[in-house]
Amino acid sequence: MRAFVADSTLVQNECRERLKQIPASTRRRLSSYAKVLITAMLELSERHPQLQETPVVLATRHGDLHRTEKLLRELVRGEVLSPTQFALSVNNAVLGQYSMAADNRESMTTLSAGEQTYPLGWLEALSQLQSEAEQVLLVYADEVPPAVYSGQVKSPVTGFSHAVLLHRKNGQELILDRRVGKESQLQEDVWSVANSVQKILDAGGGKVVQDYNKVRWSWHVA
C-alpha cells in the first residue's frame, strides 16, 4: 500500500510543558503511558494545527497494562474497584481524553493485535486514508510490561510512542508491503522497528524489514 508521510515523531519521555495544554483535572488522571502517548500527539499538533480535525488510529499491544495490573491485584485482595480507574484502563480511554482536550470530534480507532500490532496499525491507518480520509494520525504506544508478565512477553524493551501524520497527497512517499513465506529470523523488538522507521523518514529514504514468523512486513521510503 502507498501513502505519504507528512510528519512524524518518536517520543520516549513525557513533556510537562506540552501537557500543560491539557486541563489540570484531566492531566491528573493521565498514567505514564497516556502522558507519553499524548505528548507525541501534541508535538505534531503544534506543527499541524489541522490535526484537531484529523481521524486517529491508536495501535497498542498492551494498552495501559500497568493500570490494569493494579486493578487486578485489587480484585484479588477483594477490594472495590474505582469506577474511574476501571474506565481509564480500557484501550480507547486515552483517545477519549485526547479528544476532549484537543476538541477533536473525528473518528478514533484503537487496535491491538499481539506482536504484529505495529504493522497492522499502519495497515489500518493506510486503509482509512485510501478509503475516505484526506489525512490520518497514526499513533503506536506501549510501555515495558509489568514484571509479573515477564515470562510471557518482553516487548517493548522501553516505553515509547510513535506518531505519524499520513496524507493522501503530500509528504514523503511510503510503501507498506506484506508478504507470507518461509519462517525467518529478522525479528526485532518493536522499539527497534519504530526507531528504524523514524530514521528512514528523517533521512528521506531507506527500507525497514521485520519478520513475524512467516509474515514479512517492510516499510520503504522513496
Side-chain angles (χ1 to χ4, degrees):
M1 300 182 72
R2 295 174 181 266
F4 293 91
V5 177
D7 203 351
S8 61
T9 184
L10 190 66
V11 172
Q12 284 186 274
N13 301 299
E14 65 182 79
C15 177
R16 294 184 180 180
E17 289 302 312
R18 286 197 174 93
L19 292 173
K20 287 181 179 178
Q21 302 175 37
I22 298 175
S25 58
T26 300
R27 194 167 62 243
R28 285 193 296 268
R29 296 179 178 181
L30 296 177
S31 64
S32 56
Y33 158 79
K35 288 178 179 177
V36 172
L37 192 162
I38 292 180
T39 291
M41 299 169 81
L42 292 177
E43 183 176 325
L44 286 189
S45 295
E46 291 175 2
R47 303 197 289 261
H48 304 276
Q50 74 274 19
L51 283 186
Q52 183 176 338
E53 301 174 354
T54 300
V56 179
V57 172
L58 168 61
T60 174
R61 181 176 183 180
H62 307 301
D64 205 338
L65 189 55
H66 286 266
R67 192 193 298 266
T68 303
E69 186 215 12
K70 182 180 178 182
L71 290 171
L72 291 173
R73 291 186 182 278
E74 291 174 355
L75 276 177
V76 171
R77 294 194 296 266
E79 300 175 7
V80 177
L81 299 184
S82 161
T84 299
Q85 292 301 315
F86 177 76
L88 293 175
S89 70
V90 299
N91 269 3
N92 62 354
V94 67
L95 285 185
Q97 293 171 300
Y98 164 77
S99 174
M100 290 184 288
D103 194 27
N104 186 334
R105 303 184 185 185
E106 296 297 321
S107 64
M108 304 274 170
T109 304
T110 57
L111 179 146
S112 182
E115 66 175 1
Q116 295 191 63
T117 298
Y118 183 73
L120 287 172
W122 278 86
L123 182 61
E124 172 64 28
L126 290 173
S127 297
Q128 290 191 19
L129 189 70
Q130 294 185 4
S131 63
E132 51 189 24
E134 184 70 17
Q135 62 181 19
V136 175
L137 176 60
L138 165 65
V139 186
Y140 179 93
D142 260 325
E143 286 187 300
V144 178
V148 69
Y149 296 106
S150 61
Q152 287 74 41
V153 63
K154 294 180 173 60
S155 179
V157 296
T158 183
F160 73 97
S161 181
H162 192 200
V164 182
L165 177 59
L166 298 167
H167 197 279
R168 187 178 293 180
K169 299 177 182 178
N170 300 321
Q172 302 180 79
E173 185 176 16
L174 178 140
I175 300 173
L176 177 70
D177 185 55
R178 176 183 181 273
R179 296 178 185 274
V180 179
K182 296 181 180 179
E183 187 169 351
S184 60
Q185 302 299 318
L186 289 171
Q187 297 185 358
E188 300 282 348
D189 184 79
V190 63
W191 156 251
S192 298
V193 177
N195 192 34
S196 295
V197 171
Q198 182 61 43
K199 285 181 178 178
I200 65 172
L201 291 173
D202 290 340
K207 187 174 184 178
V208 175
V209 178
Q210 168 71 347
D211 288 348
Y212 302 89
N213 294 321
K214 295 183 179 181
V215 180
R216 169 166 290 187
W217 292 88
S218 64
W219 294 258
H220 178 229
V221 175

